[in-house]
Amino acid sequence: MNIILIGAQGSGKGTQAEKLSQSLDIRHVASGDLFRSAISQQTELGLKAKKYMDDGHLVPDDLTIAMVLDRLQAPDCANGVILDGFPRTIAQSQALDKGLANVGKRVDYALYLEVPRAELLKRLSGRYICKAHQHVYNIETNPPQIAGICDIDGSELYQRSDDRGEAIQKRLDIFFNDTIHLIDYYDGQQKLIRVNGNQSIDRVQQELVNVISERAGQC
Ligand code: AP5
Ligand code: MG
């Protein structure tokens, strides 16, 4: 099963993908996490991506598509993936369709997490992630048991460089002006499922699990 999670910055893609990956036993692949790990390893890709990310811009399609399609070829993605943050442009969607078709696969569902902008701003300014594996927390809605420390791997929590000031507004503008066109793309393929992301983390997860099993039951 190959699933795409679409949603604005702060809509809960990473939070939900991590849980879904455990319940469906398929790999969570997040383009933002891949870029952040390239940055921390100071690879050539990381150095190129950093300047776009810090300013809240999208990384160019050619770099992003090559990175994600390469990741999808790894053996741990053979059973399927939950893609979080990719695709984000129509060119990326088309490249993904083509890349999957080349190996006899396809996107099964595109799940859109709908959350109002005011809530997104609140969530992003309270978000912290862990240094070791990018597990996600929120000082208001999802705090760690010990302040500043990841519950899962004990590593230190930090605030992302793009979760401050103007970069947040710019990222949200990019989503609502540009990325939103993906909704029509997947609706046209009858793969789009809208989910109310403005509920508790557990309720959103339950709704995602329900819609996936309903759709899978119809096939
Ligand atoms: P990326 O890392 O993908 O960031 P993003 O799209 O900005 O999305 P976020 O990670 O901010 O939000 P999320 O939906 O995952 O929310 P989360 O679960 O953390 O991309 C970063 C950058 O990389 C981009 O700006 C771009 O430069 C580049 N990039 C990545 N992919 C690219 C692509 N395809 N093309 C080009 N460039 C690309 O939750 C947010 C917070 O809310 C957390 O604190 C969480 O605890 C809390 N929370 C979650 N759910 C709930 C809930 N239901 N109720 C209350 N709080 C909640
Ligand atoms: Mg994320």
Side-chain angles (χ1 to χ4, degrees):
M1 192 186 287
N2 296 296
I3 297 175
I4 291 172
L5 273 186
I6 303 172
Q9 295 67 14
S11 59
K13 301 182 297 295
T15 303
Q16 298 298 335
E18 197 57 40
K19 289 173 180 287
L20 268 185
S21 151
Q22 284 166 19
S23 57
L24 300 174
D25 195 22
I26 53 179
R27 182 60 62 180
H28 169 202
V29 173
S31 44
D33 290 353
L34 295 176
F35 281 130
R36 278 183 290 278
S37 123
I39 290 171
S40 71
Q41 289 162 27
Q42 300 190 325
T43 65
E44 197 185 326
L45 171 68
L47 294 175
K48 283 183 186 159
K50 187 174 184 334
K51 60 180 191 301
Y52 296 100
M53 291 175 71
D54 283 350
D55 288 344
H57 291 296
L58 292 185
V59 178
D61 278 341
D62 55 342
L63 295 177
T64 309
I65 290 168
M67 172 185 76
V68 176
L69 292 188
D70 181 59
R71 177 68 186 85
L72 294 184
Q73 284 174 16
D76 63 345
C77 294
N79 285 339
V81 283
I82 300 169
L83 279 168
D84 151 14
F86 181 93
R88 228 176 262 221
T89 63
I90 299 295
Q92 292 179 14
S93 298
Q94 291 168 336
L96 176 65
D97 282 349
K98 203 167 152 203
L100 289 175
N102 284 344
V103 289
K105 295 181 181 175
R106 59 175 187 166
V107 170
D108 295 290
Y109 312 114
L111 306 171
Y112 174 30
L113 294 175
E114 294 185 278
V115 178
R117 189 164 175 139
E119 170 69 13
L120 297 168
L121 284 170
K122 213 165 71 186
R123 288 186 191 177
L124 290 173
S125 38
R127 173 169 59 188
Y128 283 81
I129 61 173
C130 85
K131 279 197 170 154
H133 297 101
Q134 311 197 36
H135 296 119
V136 182
Y137 296 87
N138 191 286
I139 43 173
E140 298 287 337
T141 59
N142 186 22
Q145 284 166 9
I146 302 168
I149 303 290
C150 178
D151 293 345
I152 301 165
D153 58 39
S155 72
E156 199 185 322
L157 302 185
Y158 74 102
Q159 193 170 33
R160 278 170 41 177
S161 56
D162 56 354
D163 272 352
R164 297 175 208 142
E166 269 188 28
I168 292 186
Q169 296 286 358
K170 198 176 293 169
R171 286 157 58 215
L172 289 175
D173 285 344
I174 290 175
F175 181 81
F176 287 107
N177 295 333
D178 302 330
T179 311
I180 197 79
H181 296 304
L182 295 187
I183 303 303
D184 293 335
Y185 183 86
Y186 289 106
D187 205 17
Q189 294 188 353
Q190 298 179 331
K191 290 175 180 167
L192 185 74
I193 305 175
R194 293 171 186 266
V195 171
N196 177 8
N198 196 16
Q199 315 177 73
S200 72
I201 292 173
D202 288 346
R203 287 189 76 113
V204 176
Q205 179 65 200
Q206 193 54 55
E207 206 171 315
L208 288 170
V209 169
N210 290 347
V211 292
I212 292 168
S213 45
E214 265 168 38
R215 285 284 180 113
Q218 288 165 10
C219 296

